[in-house]
Amino acid sequence: MDEERTAALRALEERLRHRFADLALLDRALTHTSHAHERAAPSSRHNEPLEFLGDAVIGFLVAELLHRRDPEGSEGGKSKARAHLVAAPSLARRASALGLPDLLLLGRGEEKTGGRQKSALWADAYEALVAALYLDGGLEAAARFVSHEFAPDLASPQLPEPGDYKSTLQEVLQARGEPVPDYVTVAEEGPRHRRSFRVQCLVGGRLVAEGQGYSKKEAQQEAARRALPLLRLPEP
């Protein structure tokens, strides 16, 4: 790890409010498989193994926060809130706020094909980051970070509900006499336990927007969300 990379990770530590005993662990959390494979590094040096652990740690800690927020609340309501809070768009937004996209180590091919702009990779890095915090500082360090990150959402009386962008897009297009959108899955990426889908939104055969998500439904919603402002349509 060179001096420039070390300095960038030390700056990230300030934003995370955690000083890593093993800085290489933080570096690994931000290393994509394409970079590791390009350098013929062992598989353990990219962040895929950390994503699985981070996903479980975030899910558990958010569930605990929701329980503490509303101990007598319904299981269904809290499950729905957790699903929204830990969904890829939510994690990608938090990753962007921390500056993770700029710190990702990508292979040349992934970089050339726009990998740094893929929100699914941001969400993956966020999960790996939480796993790195857990492994380096234990559950207390991970819980402190997750609590700080999700506090603004948990403090609101009503947790936000994800918009049904697909229905909004279809309804408004139909009202304008335009064809309904088609959604085409153009790529499936990532490990088997955490597949990422890339979907194109087509209107009248014309590509309007693309979206990514950990299910085809989620990717379609993201594609529709991105299409709305491009078609100058109101979001739900």
Side-chain angles (χ1 to χ4, degrees):
M1 199 184 313
D2 60 26
E3 291 184 5
E4 183 179 356
R5 179 65 172 176
T6 299
L9 295 180
R10 290 299 182 195
L12 175 60
E13 285 183 322
E14 296 297 319
R15 300 194 292 278
L16 300 176
R17 296 182 173 89
H18 177 78
R19 184 78 170 183
F20 275 79
D22 181 8
L23 193 63
L25 191 57
L26 179 58
D27 185 56
R28 175 184 170 189
L30 299 170
T31 301
H32 187 252
T33 53
S34 61
H35 184 272
H37 292 160
E38 198 171 83
R39 291 174 175 253
S43 61
S44 61
R45 302 318 304 166
H46 59 69
N47 64 7
E48 257 185 27
L50 295 177
E51 293 169 24
F52 176 75
L53 176 60
D55 177 46
V57 173
I58 294 171
F60 164 69
L61 291 174
V62 169
E64 182 184 34
L65 290 170
L66 287 166
H67 174 74
R68 291 182 182 277
R69 175 181 180 267
D70 185 14
E72 304 304 322
S74 71
E75 179 183 350
K78 285 186 282 192
S79 294
K80 189 174 182 180
R82 179 180 61 179
H84 174 58
L85 289 169
V86 305
S90 170
L91 301 187
R93 172 172 55 83
R94 299 172 201 280
S96 179
L98 288 168
L100 301 191
D102 291 338
L103 294 172
L104 285 174
L105 295 180
L106 303 174
R108 288 187 296 272
E110 186 67 35
E111 189 79 71
K112 287 180 180 178
T113 56
R116 199 168 299 279
Q117 282 69 53
K118 293 179 181 178
S119 60
L121 297 192
W122 305 356
D124 291 343
Y126 190 90
E127 290 176 337
L129 173 67
V130 172
L133 284 167
Y134 173 75
L135 293 172
D136 190 79
L139 188 58
E140 181 180 351
R144 185 167 56 246
F145 172 76
V146 169
S147 178
H148 175 78
E149 282 281 292
F150 290 86
D153 299 280
L154 294 165
S156 62
Q158 288 285 331
L159 287 168
E161 294 284 349
D164 187 356
Y165 301 106
K166 283 183 64 180
S167 294
T168 299
L169 180 60
Q170 179 170 322
E171 289 169 4
V172 178
L173 286 173
Q174 285 179 318
R176 297 198 320 196
E178 298 184 36
V180 298
D182 293 315
Y183 297 92
V184 179
T185 302
V186 294
E188 295 184 22
E189 304 166 322
R192 185 175 301 174
H193 75 272
R194 196 66 165 161
R195 298 295 286 171
S196 171
F197 298 87
R198 183 154 55 91
V199 168
Q200 292 182 340
C201 175
L202 308 174
V203 177
R206 177 172 64 92
L207 173 62
V208 178
E210 287 191 355
Q212 283 190 269
Y214 288 118
S215 67
K216 290 182 181 180
K217 181 178 179 181
E218 186 178 283
Q220 290 170 359
Q221 286 284 358
E222 177 64 10
R225 184 189 69 79
R226 292 185 176 189
L228 287 167
L230 297 176
L231 295 171
R232 298 184 180 179
L233 304 177
E235 294 193 14

